[in-house]
Each structure stands twice: as C-alpha cells, then as structure tokens.
Amino acid sequence: MALFNFFSQEIAIDLGTANTLIIHNDEIVVNEPSIIALNRNNPKEVLAVGKRALLMHEKTHESIRTVRPLKDGVIADFNAAELMIRELIKLVYPKKPLFPPSWRMLICIPSSITEVEKRAVRDSAEQAGAKEVYMIHEPMAAALGIGIDVEEPVGNMIIDIGGGTTGITVIALAGIVCDQSIRIAGDEFTADIMEALRRYHSLLIGERTAEQIKIQIGAAMKDLDNPPDDLPVNGRDLVTGIPKQIMVSYQEIAEALDKSIFKIEEAILKALETTPPELASDIYKRGLYLTGGGSLLRGLDKRLSAKIKLPVHIADDPLKSVVRGTGLALKNYQRFPFIMK
C-alpha cells in the first residue's frame, strides 16, 4: 500500500468557467485561464493552453481555434475540456517524471449541476489520467477557503460570483440548506460592457478588451469613494469601420452592469426568502460572504448591503478561496461527509 501511495499524488482542481486553479502539496501550482487553442485540421493537437491561448483568443486565423471548454460553470465541449485538464495537469510537474503518478483528484462542481453534467466532469478527469475522482460543491469549498467552520450548526450565506454562474447558498451542518444559482456572472458583465459601448459609442470591441475594462474600471455604483481614472479603449468604429479610441469612465460601466447586478440582488433576496428562520437569524448576525472574481467589482459589497440591509464581507483572496477550500477538503477527504465519490 505504501508503494501505491508513493505513486499516487493528490491534486485539488477548481475547474472554473474563466480560470482553472490546481493545488498540489498545499500550494497553488497552476492558475491559468480556462481556454485552449487547438489546430482546426487536427483537433487533438493542442497549440497552447491557459495564458498563452488567451493571448491568441479572437486573433486567430482559420487553422487555429480557441475554445473555452466550460460554459455557465459546466463542461460544454467535452473533448476540449479533457485536453485542457490533461495539459494543465502536465504543468504540475514541468519535468516529466520517470513513473507518471496516478492522480487522486478532488474537483469543484457548481451546486446546481445535473447528473449528466457531473458525469461529464468525472469522465473528463478520468480520461485525463485520474485514478480516483472525488467531487465537492463549490459553495462548500468556498466556505472552507474563507475559513468558516462548516460543520457547526450555524447558518452561513455564501455568494460566489464566478465567470459563468452566481451561486447563492446557505450552509449549515456541513450541508447545503438552500441554493439559488443564476447564470449571470463575469461573462455576462463582459457582454454588458461590449453591448453598452456598441450602443452608446458605436464602438465594436472584443471580449478580451471588455474583460480588461471590467477589471480596470468595473464598478457596481456610480459614486465611489476612490474612483478609478477614465480608461482609453480601442476598437472599431461601427459607422466608419476605422479603428478609433475613446475614453470610458467607471460611471458608464456601472450603468452598463446595473441590470445584471440587479438580477443578482433579486436572486439573493429570493434565497433569503427560502431560508429557514433559525438560519436566517444566524445570517442576520454574521452577514453574507462574497467570493469569486465578480466580488472584486468596486462598490459591489456596499451596493448589496444597502439593498439587503445586512453586512457583506468580501473574502481575503476571492479568486482563490474556492481552490484553497478544495485543497483543505482533499487533506481530510475521508472526514468530510459532503465529498462525493
């Protein structure tokens, strides 16, 4: 058995719509965008993965295609997902080991996932070389990563605004009590920004530019305490067809994102309505926890706490809290009851 343990290695994977992170031996060894560049003539040939593939995104010619294998938190392109997981696992050991280890993997899945989608994750992991595949719901992992004791009989509300989905979950006694999931998150914000610039400035921009705008001046409120400077944005003028540059302010972006954030607020209120009263009193004392990349939007915590009238806490490193929690769960995978075989 000891020999098997020598060849068996454990990794925790947060397979996200926007980014994939892998933890091995308690440290994050892979943190790459979930995108892969493939050769169109030979779809099994991987040209680039992660950051290098992202640099190619929307700039390719006809023999290269870039694929984002995950959509709305679940696998949309099975073959690309399997190739991407395999390539990212290779990054864990940059030097090729003499005996390739057999992996024990713990993978995060959205709590609203169907059995078929769960099966797709498991199959992709097994095809990519996993001997044992365990799964954990993302809100559980996020709670562990934030540092909440999930096993105590106290209610905690976790709001995970990721790339494809926003999950709003109430956790108590190491289980999920109620769960709302909406497909409005980072990707939707990016699409809103593209649409706003097209409508008000008749400027056509790509997904990557919109993503950069969101990161640099994205905001949830029009009046911030320390507002970011206006950002020059390059794109194609829809009227003349000539490339041009405009200056965009954070207020415009806040207005563009307003509808989507309103939908997230509605979903949080709906989740609070279905919460059992005893847990609701715990949430009143403890407030809500925000995690995921979307929680980095400027002023989002203020806007939510003004609407819901409860304290809102942002996790210390919201992009990594899910994978950290997955790493913790992997260490004690026999102890936690919510890890699915």
PDB file of all heavy atoms in Angstrom, residues 47-62:
ATOM      1  N   LEU A  47      -2.237  23.515 -29.338  1.00  0.00           N
ATOM      2  CA  LEU A  47      -1.208  24.504 -29.662  1.00  0.00           C
ATOM      3  C   LEU A  47      -0.795  25.305 -28.439  1.00  0.00           C
ATOM      4  O   LEU A  47       0.362  25.651 -28.282  1.00  0.00           O
ATOM      5  CB  LEU A  47      -1.719  25.450 -30.754  1.00  0.00           C
ATOM      6  CG  LEU A  47      -2.121  24.755 -32.059  1.00  0.00           C
ATOM      7  CD1 LEU A  47      -2.794  25.726 -32.989  1.00  0.00           C
ATOM      8  CD2 LEU A  47      -0.900  24.153 -32.736  1.00  0.00           C
ATOM      9  N   ALA A  48      -1.768  25.624 -27.600  1.00  0.00           N
ATOM     10  CA  ALA A  48      -1.446  26.384 -26.384  1.00  0.00           C
ATOM     11  C   ALA A  48      -2.587  26.210 -25.404  1.00  0.00           C
ATOM     12  O   ALA A  48      -3.701  25.843 -25.781  1.00  0.00           O
ATOM     13  CB  ALA A  48      -1.267  27.859 -26.708  1.00  0.00           C
ATOM     14  N   VAL A  49      -2.294  26.463 -24.126  1.00  0.00           N
ATOM     15  CA  VAL A  49      -3.331  26.348 -23.103  1.00  0.00           C
ATOM     16  C   VAL A  49      -3.107  27.488 -22.110  1.00  0.00           C
ATOM     17  O   VAL A  49      -1.999  27.993 -21.962  1.00  0.00           O
ATOM     18  CB  VAL A  49      -3.261  24.951 -22.438  1.00  0.00           C
ATOM     19  CG1 VAL A  49      -2.029  24.809 -21.583  1.00  0.00           C
ATOM     20  CG2 VAL A  49      -4.496  24.679 -21.615  1.00  0.00           C
ATOM     21  N   GLY A  50      -4.190  27.928 -21.463  1.00  0.00           N
ATOM     22  CA  GLY A  50      -4.059  28.937 -20.414  1.00  0.00           C
ATOM     23  C   GLY A  50      -3.712  30.309 -20.967  1.00  0.00           C
ATOM     24  O   GLY A  50      -4.266  30.754 -21.965  1.00  0.00           O
ATOM     25  N   LYS A  51      -2.742  30.966 -20.317  1.00  0.00           N
ATOM     26  CA  LYS A  51      -2.426  32.372 -20.666  1.00  0.00           C
ATOM     27  C   LYS A  51      -1.979  32.506 -22.112  1.00  0.00           C
ATOM     28  O   LYS A  51      -2.328  33.466 -22.800  1.00  0.00           O
ATOM     29  CB  LYS A  51      -1.324  32.917 -19.743  1.00  0.00           C
ATOM     30  CG  LYS A  51      -1.749  32.992 -18.287  1.00  0.00           C
ATOM     31  CD  LYS A  51      -0.674  33.616 -17.398  1.00  0.00           C
ATOM     32  CE  LYS A  51      -1.025  33.552 -15.930  1.00  0.00           C
ATOM     33  NZ  LYS A  51      -0.763  32.249 -15.302  1.00  0.00           N
ATOM     34  N   ARG A  52      -1.209  31.528 -22.598  1.00  0.00           N
ATOM     35  CA  ARG A  52      -0.734  31.622 -23.988  1.00  0.00           C
ATOM     36  C   ARG A  52      -1.896  31.507 -24.964  1.00  0.00           C
ATOM     37  O   ARG A  52      -1.915  32.169 -26.001  1.00  0.00           O
ATOM     38  CB  ARG A  52       0.309  30.542 -24.266  1.00  0.00           C
ATOM     39  CG  ARG A  52       1.661  30.902 -23.673  1.00  0.00           C
ATOM     40  CD  ARG A  52       2.785  29.992 -24.106  1.00  0.00           C
ATOM     41  NE  ARG A  52       2.770  29.662 -25.516  1.00  0.00           N
ATOM     42  CZ  ARG A  52       2.835  28.428 -25.976  1.00  0.00           C
ATOM     43  NH1 ARG A  52       2.926  27.410 -25.151  1.00  0.00           N
ATOM     44  NH2 ARG A  52       2.835  28.194 -27.265  1.00  0.00           N
ATOM     45  N   ALA A  53      -2.874  30.664 -24.635  1.00  0.00           N
ATOM     46  CA  ALA A  53      -4.042  30.527 -25.509  1.00  0.00           C
ATOM     47  C   ALA A  53      -4.910  31.782 -25.437  1.00  0.00           C
ATOM     48  O   ALA A  53      -5.519  32.185 -26.427  1.00  0.00           O
ATOM     49  CB  ALA A  53      -4.850  29.296 -25.111  1.00  0.00           C
ATOM     50  N   LEU A  54      -4.936  32.409 -24.256  1.00  0.00           N
ATOM     51  CA  LEU A  54      -5.747  33.623 -24.106  1.00  0.00           C
ATOM     52  C   LEU A  54      -5.183  34.747 -24.977  1.00  0.00           C
ATOM     53  O   LEU A  54      -5.936  35.555 -25.516  1.00  0.00           O
ATOM     54  CB  LEU A  54      -5.791  34.059 -22.637  1.00  0.00           C
ATOM     55  CG  LEU A  54      -6.755  35.202 -22.325  1.00  0.00           C
ATOM     56  CD1 LEU A  54      -8.197  34.769 -22.559  1.00  0.00           C
ATOM     57  CD2 LEU A  54      -6.592  35.682 -20.904  1.00  0.00           C
ATOM     58  N   LEU A  55      -3.861  34.786 -25.129  1.00  0.00           N
ATOM     59  CA  LEU A  55      -3.261  35.815 -25.983  1.00  0.00           C
ATOM     60  C   LEU A  55      -3.689  35.631 -27.441  1.00  0.00           C
ATOM     61  O   LEU A  55      -3.737  36.583 -28.207  1.00  0.00           O
ATOM     62  CB  LEU A  55      -1.731  35.769 -25.884  1.00  0.00           C
ATOM     63  CG  LEU A  55      -1.135  36.190 -24.536  1.00  0.00           C
ATOM     64  CD1 LEU A  55       0.363  35.958 -24.518  1.00  0.00           C
ATOM     65  CD2 LEU A  55      -1.452  37.655 -24.246  1.00  0.00           C
ATOM     66  N   MET A  56      -4.000  34.382 -27.813  1.00  0.00           N
ATOM     67  CA  MET A  56      -4.427  34.117 -29.194  1.00  0.00           C
ATOM     68  C   MET A  56      -5.919  34.366 -29.386  1.00  0.00           C
ATOM     69  O   MET A  56      -6.371  34.511 -30.518  1.00  0.00           O
ATOM     70  CB  MET A  56      -4.168  32.649 -29.551  1.00  0.00           C
ATOM     71  CG  MET A  56      -2.746  32.194 -29.468  1.00  0.00           C
ATOM     72  SD  MET A  56      -2.713  30.453 -29.885  1.00  0.00           S
ATOM     73  CE  MET A  56      -0.998  30.085 -29.694  1.00  0.00           C
ATOM     74  N   HIS A  57      -6.672  34.388 -28.288  1.00  0.00           N
ATOM     75  CA  HIS A  57      -8.141  34.436 -28.366  1.00  0.00           C
ATOM     76  C   HIS A  57      -8.605  35.636 -29.178  1.00  0.00           C
ATOM     77  O   HIS A  57      -8.161  36.761 -28.955  1.00  0.00           O
ATOM     78  CB  HIS A  57      -8.714  34.505 -26.947  1.00  0.00           C
ATOM     79  CG  HIS A  57     -10.194  34.392 -26.893  1.00  0.00           C
ATOM     80  ND1 HIS A  57     -10.901  33.462 -27.619  1.00  0.00           N
ATOM     81  CD2 HIS A  57     -11.126  35.098 -26.205  1.00  0.00           C
ATOM     82  CE1 HIS A  57     -12.190  33.605 -27.365  1.00  0.00           C
ATOM     83  NE2 HIS A  57     -12.351  34.592 -26.516  1.00  0.00           N
ATOM     84  N   GLU A  58      -9.495  35.391 -30.142  1.00  0.00           N
ATOM     85  CA  GLU A  58     -10.070  36.414 -31.034  1.00  0.00           C
ATOM     86  C   GLU A  58      -9.043  37.038 -31.970  1.00  0.00           C
ATOM     87  O   GLU A  58      -9.290  38.081 -32.554  1.00  0.00           O
ATOM     88  CB  GLU A  58     -10.766  37.527 -30.223  1.00  0.00           C
ATOM     89  CG  GLU A  58     -11.926  37.015 -29.404  1.00  0.00           C
ATOM     90  CD  GLU A  58     -12.701  38.132 -28.729  1.00  0.00           C
ATOM     91  OE1 GLU A  58     -12.079  39.071 -28.223  1.00  0.00           O
ATOM     92  OE2 GLU A  58     -13.928  38.064 -28.716  1.00  0.00           O
ATOM     93  N   LYS A  59      -7.876  36.402 -32.079  1.00  0.00           N
ATOM     94  CA  LYS A  59      -6.871  36.928 -33.024  1.00  0.00           C
ATOM     95  C   LYS A  59      -6.404  35.828 -33.969  1.00  0.00           C
ATOM     96  O   LYS A  59      -5.320  35.936 -34.526  1.00  0.00           O
ATOM     97  CB  LYS A  59      -5.662  37.466 -32.243  1.00  0.00           C
ATOM     98  CG  LYS A  59      -5.966  38.682 -31.398  1.00  0.00           C
ATOM     99  CD  LYS A  59      -4.704  39.261 -30.803  1.00  0.00           C
ATOM    100  CE  LYS A  59      -5.036  40.502 -29.997  1.00  0.00           C
ATOM    101  NZ  LYS A  59      -3.840  41.153 -29.463  1.00  0.00           N
ATOM    102  N   THR A  60      -7.192  34.778 -34.111  1.00  0.00           N
ATOM    103  CA  THR A  60      -6.697  33.585 -34.816  1.00  0.00           C
ATOM    104  C   THR A  60      -7.022  33.633 -36.309  1.00  0.00           C
ATOM    105  O   THR A  60      -7.931  34.336 -36.735  1.00  0.00           O
ATOM    106  CB  THR A  60      -7.341  32.328 -34.225  1.00  0.00           C
ATOM    107  OG1 THR A  60      -8.754  32.495 -34.245  1.00  0.00           O
ATOM    108  CG2 THR A  60      -6.912  32.116 -32.796  1.00  0.00           C
ATOM    109  N   HIS A  61      -6.264  32.832 -37.087  1.00  0.00           N
ATOM    110  CA  HIS A  61      -6.622  32.624 -38.493  1.00  0.00           C
ATOM    111  C   HIS A  61      -7.367  31.294 -38.598  1.00  0.00           C
ATOM    112  O   HIS A  61      -7.618  30.635 -37.584  1.00  0.00           O
ATOM    113  CB  HIS A  61      -5.370  32.654 -39.369  1.00  0.00           C
ATOM    114  CG  HIS A  61      -4.277  31.764 -38.872  1.00  0.00           C
ATOM    115  ND1 HIS A  61      -4.294  30.407 -39.035  1.00  0.00           N
ATOM    116  CD2 HIS A  61      -3.144  32.045 -38.177  1.00  0.00           C
ATOM    117  CE1 HIS A  61      -3.216  29.883 -38.492  1.00  0.00           C
ATOM    118  NE2 HIS A  61      -2.496  30.860 -37.943  1.00  0.00           N
ATOM    119  N   GLU A  62      -7.680  30.869 -39.863  1.00  0.00           N
ATOM    120  CA  GLU A  62      -8.648  29.765 -39.938  1.00  0.00           C
ATOM    121  C   GLU A  62      -8.117  28.405 -39.497  1.00  0.00           C
ATOM    122  O   GLU A  62      -8.908  27.501 -39.259  1.00  0.00           O
ATOM    123  CB  GLU A  62      -9.263  29.651 -41.343  1.00  0.00           C
ATOM    124  CG  GLU A  62      -8.285  29.333 -42.449  1.00  0.00           C
ATOM    125  CD  GLU A  62      -7.943  30.599 -43.234  1.00  0.00           C
ATOM    126  OE1 GLU A  62      -8.121  31.693 -42.713  1.00  0.00           O
ATOM    127  OE2 GLU A  62      -7.498  30.458 -44.379  1.00  0.00           O
TER     128      GLU A  62
END
